[in-house]
Amino acid sequence: MKKTVTVFRGDGIGPELVDSVLQILEAAEAPLKYEIFNVGEAEWKRNGELIPQEALQSFEKTKILLKSPITTPVGTGFRSLNVTLRNQYDLYANIRPVRSNSAVHTPFPNVDIVIFRENTEGLYVGIEEKKDENTVHAIKVVTRKACERIIRKAFEYARENGRRKVTCVHKANILKQSDGMFLEIFRQLAGEYLDIEADDKIIDNTCMQLVMNPNQFDVMVMQNLYGDIISDLCSGLIGGLGLVPSANIGEGYAMFEAVHGSAPDIAGKHLANPTAFLWSACMLLEYVQENECAGRIRNAVDAVLHEGVHLTRDLHGIASTEEYTEAIIQELKKGGRKSG
Ligand code: NAI
């Protein structure tokens, strides 16, 4: 039976990515049905509404969302819809796998890191208070509950997936209470997972270590803003933002999206690399236990990347989004119809 999922077309390169990925899912005969909605800045300009009620109702019904990037104005304007969705549906675990691909040349051929980013609090609560003309205070919220569940999720993932180590990234030398509590809880919980090595590092040192020797890292767990920054840094190690997918997991709901944003600089130019969004769709398929289908798509992407003929510009190729998409579809067809 086909599983229904909600799809948000988003802003910038979002609609191009959705078109590409839905075509590939169809070619792979993914057992999914889609309820598709326009959301984001374009909707805001059209209807004064970032997200139509029917779109939210659909997600509340399907509980699974494939979301393409949404623009958030810098400095002024509305609150990030991405942050709102993560909070409204308590999607507390943002899981971001960053893996080198042997077809993509980088100085770091063996990166295999999974980032667990706390997704509901920290500085992302967006509480800012103007004290006077020249002073603004920004509040960072850290709760024991949120720390415990993301750290536990990282250790559980490590155990279930045969990973050797979890590294806690923090700034507890300066933020002694907030980051101090995160680190204290990490050390406590590490005692329940003695089969997994537990390590902790201050965030500034972590950045240096990541660009000098990323292979030392395995699973990493951190608060919201640190996770945001570290995952973009890690994407740079493996060839760019076009290659990093993510899952946002809560108790009842799950949302899958690329790590990157709406890339307004290349929107509408047929330059977007849909791989990160496609791999996010693969994570969705794995979430609904359609591993075989996800595997076929992953193999087709690998084949196209290794062939090296239809690469998008971010990967030093000249193929358009559509040509790359078509190459993956042809590769899927070569693999024949799905078995079973
Ligand atoms: P961005 O991630 O959109 O783009 C950064 C750079 O990477 C740009 O040069 C862009 O062309 C390139 N890039 C990103 N994705 C690519 C892809 N798939 N293929 C080829 N190149 C790609 O970050 P930026 O420019 O800082 O943000 C743009 C907007 O996106 C902002 O409004 C921001 O708030 C929003 N954003 C939304 C996110 C989401 O919906 N989850 C996440 C991050 C940012």
Side-chain angles (χ1 to χ4, degrees), residues 65 86 91-97 115-117 119 244-250 254-259 279-280 283-284 287:
L65 174 59
R86 291 167 188 164
L91 304 168
Y92 68 89
N94 192 337
I95 305 167
R96 301 179 149 189
I115 295 166
F116 278 72
R117 166 186 177 187
N119 222 12
V244 185
S246 82
N248 299 262
I249 307 289
M255 174 172 91
F256 300 83
E257 60 179 343
V259 161
W279 280 338
S280 306
M283 291 177 84
L284 184 160
Y287 179 78

Side-chain angles (χ1 to χ4, degrees), residues 13 17 67-74 82 86 96 228 232 241-242 257-266 271-276 314:
I13 58 172
L17 299 183
K67 185 190 90 45
S68 76
I70 295 172
T71 298
T72 308
V74 176
N82 305 306
R86 291 167 188 164
R96 301 179 149 189
D228 185 36
D232 271 35
L241 279 165
E257 60 179 343
V259 161
H260 61 71
S262 56
D265 53 336
I266 58 167
L271 296 174
N273 180 351
T275 311
D314 56 316

